[in-house]
Amino acid sequence: QVQLVESGGGLVQPGGSLRLSCAASGSIFNINTMGWYRQAPGKQRELVATITSGGSTNSADSVKGRFTISRDNAKNTVYLQMNSLKPDDTAVYYCNYRSWGLTYWGQGTQVTVSS
């Protein structure tokens, strides 16, 4: 099994920055995709950004130019650098790991953007 532990969430002002981290452990396959999804109150969970073990990325249009996803394969860790944060970015952010048809989720970390 794969365990995912997120960190870095918190409260920031509009225009501020935050960096999320997610460390994977357990039965990690070298070829995989990791990423971030978010869910705001009353809304469905949505994709934020993903990155493969080879470095290919995909991100939502709403965060392009503001958020950057990266990873450290040696540490099995994925990061999300969040800049120019908006109130609409407020949500619980979930780390995701996917490989060979298996999907795992982290417990989620709260990001609140407010004055």
Side-chain angles (χ1 to χ4, degrees):
Q1 304 302 119
V2 175
Q3 295 78 46
L4 304 171
V5 180
E6 301 120 325
S7 62
L11 173 65
V12 296
Q13 297 186 84
S17 298
L18 203 62
R19 191 179 83 149
L20 306 183
S21 298
C22 173
S25 62
S27 301
I28 307 299
F29 186 61
N30 289 339
I31 302 175
N32 61 65
T33 298
M34 296 184 70
W36 295 92
Y37 293 72
R38 66 186 182 187
Q39 187 167 22
K43 297 183 179 180
Q44 295 185 197
R45 186 176 299 184
E46 65 176 357
L47 178 146
V48 177
T50 61
I51 183 168
T52 69
S53 49
S56 297
T57 61
N58 181 49
S59 61
D61 289 341
S62 61
V63 306
K64 287 181 178 176
R66 300 189 298 121
F67 294 5
T68 301
I69 190 168
S70 61
R71 63 186 291 163
D72 184 334
N73 290 342
K75 297 180 179 180
N76 291 319
T77 300
V78 63
Y79 307 93
L80 185 68
Q81 179 64 48
M82 310 165 69
N83 299 136
S84 302
L85 284 161
K86 307 174 181 179
D88 285 349
D89 294 319
T90 296
V92 176
Y93 284 68
Y94 296 92
C95 181
N96 173 268
Y97 166 97
R98 186 173 299 138
S99 183
W100 294 104
L102 298 176
T103 300
Y104 297 89
W105 295 93
Q107 82 287 351
T109 184
Q110 177 71 48
V111 172
T112 301
V113 185
S114 176
S115 299

